[in-house]
Amino acid sequence: MIFQTPIMALLLVAGLAALTALWAGGFAVTVLRRWDLTDMGARQLRMERMTELVSTLFAAVMLAELAALLLFVFNADRMSSLFVGAMCAVGTLNVNDYGFPALYLKIGVFFAAVIWLILDRADRLGRDYPLTRVKYAALLAITPLILADGAVELSYFLDMQTDVITSCCSKLFTPNNPNLANQMAGVGEAQALWLLGLTALIALAAGIAALIRKRGYGLYALASALMFGMGLTAIVATISLYIYENPNHHCPFCILKPEYGYVGYALYVPLFLATAAGLGAGVLSPFQKRASLAGPLPGLMRRLLIWSMAGFATFGIVCLIVIWRSHLILFG
């Protein structure tokens, strides 16, 4: 099982990420203690050269982690045919106790990776690398998450047993299964759409206000996080029903299957990227007054905010198209 190509690729990425994070984390401690651009000595010069190497390698690993999330979900769905009772990624993730924790950690690493890459990009905009300490402090904070992700992912793949009967989405999203998935599915169809629409209006207002006033990016970041939660809830509670044209099928993973035109990717990719860009704009907002970033940083934050709003708009348009094309009538 573990020697399948996608699993080996995922474990390779997780292993490289863990090793790079440990190495870079050790260097980050040195940077936090001794980084001083006013020091013209040989030690500071070596440290500046090392930051280029460490930042470049860590950025490459973070980019690989972004792709790993998509591969992890795709592989879980692909492997569902190997387990009795599994019909989609839910069954594969339920095959042992590590599946869903591995997915949640992968999502956490995805957002952490995007935010770190944004910090790295902003740091390179300043002539004096003004966010170097912030960037390496963030690297230290991300390292435990990367290690946990690698350990849980390895445990998940090592503990896969094909003779275990697993449960799939038909059991996960039922009233007899008291968990977060059931709570999301239990939100009324109309209520989920209203909440999503209201959250979208809040995010739109916060985004326009930030663009006009050139402040309030932190508020937009909070609205982005809220939009992410409501988007996932709406997919489980309502949008998936329209895709399957079945009022009882709430699975958020079956929509990734080819028989549904891979429409799930058209929903998830813009939602995840829009949320990450919105969070990134908020993370950068406290550094607008740094002297060397006063010129370029507002432009980067503005672009992130516009990309985020465009991503949420794309997500909303795909939702409307799904509802418009469906033969299912839930209201009226």
Side-chain angles (χ1 to χ4, degrees), residues 106-226:
K106 269 272 177 285
I107 293 174
V109 170
F110 170 85
F111 285 117
V114 173
I115 289 173
W116 192 88
L117 289 169
I118 290 172
L119 278 173
D120 184 53
R121 171 63 179 159
D123 185 44
R124 294 173 186 275
L125 292 177
R127 62 182 182 280
D128 55 350
Y129 299 100
L131 300 184
T132 297
R133 287 182 183 274
V134 175
K135 186 172 68 176
Y136 278 92
L139 190 154
L140 273 181
I142 294 171
T143 296
L145 186 63
I146 293 174
L147 297 178
D149 170 54
V152 174
E153 190 175 22
L154 179 62
S155 302
Y156 170 54
F157 287 131
L158 286 176
D159 196 38
M160 279 184 163
Q161 305 294 331
T162 54
D163 57 345
V164 173
I165 299 176
T166 182
S167 57
C168 205
C169 50
S170 58
K171 288 188 176 180
L172 186 65
F173 299 97
T174 61
N176 296 326
N177 194 6
N179 55 24
L180 179 60
N182 176 57
Q183 291 174 6
M184 293 170 73
V187 178
E189 294 89 354
Q191 184 183 6
L193 289 182
W194 275 109
L195 288 174
L196 178 62
L198 179 61
T199 307
L201 287 176
I202 293 173
L204 178 64
I208 292 175
L211 287 174
I212 295 174
R213 301 172 62 191
K214 298 181 180 179
R215 59 178 180 170
Y217 289 94
L219 181 61
Y220 182 77
L222 291 176
S224 297
L226 185 60

Side-chain angles (χ1 to χ4, degrees), residues 276-321:
L279 293 175
V283 167
L284 293 180
S285 60
F287 309 114
Q288 292 183 84
K289 295 182 179 178
R290 297 284 177 98
S292 60
L293 291 178
L297 192 59
L300 175 60
M301 294 169 59
R302 182 184 177 86
R303 289 194 294 275
L304 285 171
L305 195 148
I306 292 173
W307 292 341
S308 174
M309 294 176 71
F312 285 136
T314 302
F315 171 75
I317 290 171
V318 175
C319 288
L320 292 175
I321 291 175

